[in-house]
Amino acid sequence: MVLGLGVAVITTGATLLALDGRCSNTRKKPTDTTTKSECGQIYDIPPALGGAFTAIGGGLFVVSGVLLTVDEVRVAGKRGHQVMAGVTLRF
């Protein structure tokens, strides 16, 4: 669950960084010839905000990955034998 949350927060941060300084209507950077009606509003997102989201998401992702790895190593010796069965159907 935390792994997925980390990915979501990384995605949010990357999106904020990508949208900064772009037009709300076209999602492109405004040029000298871009009019206000073509562009709409210009997203003014502080780069620190996008960076913070990306860093926090990366931290959540790494920590949850380490916790999953440690848990798998810890449980590996205590695991019983597994039996797998398969069924094939033909029509």
Side-chain angles (χ1 to χ4, degrees), residues 31-88:
T31 62
D32 294 336
T33 59
T34 306
T35 63
K36 178 97 170 129
S37 61
E38 287 177 337
C39 187
Q41 294 180 333
I42 296 176
Y43 292 117
D44 186 21
I45 302 165
L49 182 64
F53 270 87
T54 305
I56 291 169
L60 286 170
F61 184 77
V62 168
V63 166
S64 62
V66 168
L67 289 174
L68 284 172
T69 303
V70 167
D71 189 48
E72 283 296 318
V73 169
R74 184 180 59 84
V75 174
K78 299 177 184 174
R79 190 177 295 162
H81 296 286
Q82 294 180 353
V83 177
M84 298 188 69
V87 176
T88 304

Side-chain angles (χ1 to χ4, degrees), residues 9-24 26-30 42-51 53-54:
V9 175
I10 289 171
T11 304
T12 301
T15 303
L16 290 174
L17 288 172
L19 285 177
D20 183 38
R22 295 183 180 264
C23 297
S24 62
T26 62
R27 305 289 192 269
K28 296 180 181 176
K29 294 261 185 192
I42 296 176
Y43 292 117
D44 186 21
I45 302 165
L49 182 64
F53 270 87
T54 305

